[in-house]
Amino acid sequence: MASGVLGNTKPGGGAPDLATAAIVTATATTTLVLSICNQTAAADTVRIAVLPNGAAATGTIPTQNYIEFDYSLGANSTYERTGIVLETGARIICGSGAGSISFVAYGLES
């Protein structure tokens, strides 16, 4: 059972797709918090998708899988998504418009 930091990333700018490396791929039922940090003096947009076990590995992320889509995160700001629960094999993919945002997932696999 893993606990603590489950993954982190600071992807380059642009829309993520299904081939984008996942910040977390659950190896058991997982409950987590996703912390999002804009590291620049300009607003940037955030995209976060939760993909179920068995989702495709290439192509465009289906719109129904996004929990954030072009959310504007202010300059030098942070935001947290709490209570995200993943089934075994589910994954989270993150991205930002300009590449100025880092993501940290922490929580508990049970």
Side-chain angles (χ1 to χ4, degrees):
M1 170 176 19
S3 65
V5 175
L6 303 174
N8 56 64
T9 188
K10 187 172 184 267
D17 61 21
L18 290 169
T20 301
I23 185 173
V24 174
T25 300
T27 59
T29 301
T30 303
T31 303
L32 63 92
V33 173
L34 185 61
S35 182
I36 305 141
C37 177
N38 185 349
Q39 300 176 6
T40 64
D44 197 356
T45 56
V46 174
R47 288 188 184 188
I48 303 166
V50 175
L51 300 158
N53 184 24
T58 60
T60 303
I61 296 172
T63 56
Q64 68 268 21
N65 293 113
Y66 280 101
I67 60 172
E68 295 290 352
F69 191 89
D70 290 346
Y71 174 78
S72 182
L73 185 59
N76 301 310
S77 295
T78 60
Y79 172 64
E80 285 191 340
R81 286 295 305 242
T82 61
I84 299 172
V85 179
L86 302 177
E87 64 184 304
T88 301
R91 58 195 164 119
I92 296 177
I93 294 177
C94 304
S96 68
S100 61
I101 295 182
S102 62
F103 302 85
V104 177
Y106 55 97
L108 176 67
E109 291 185 327
S110 55

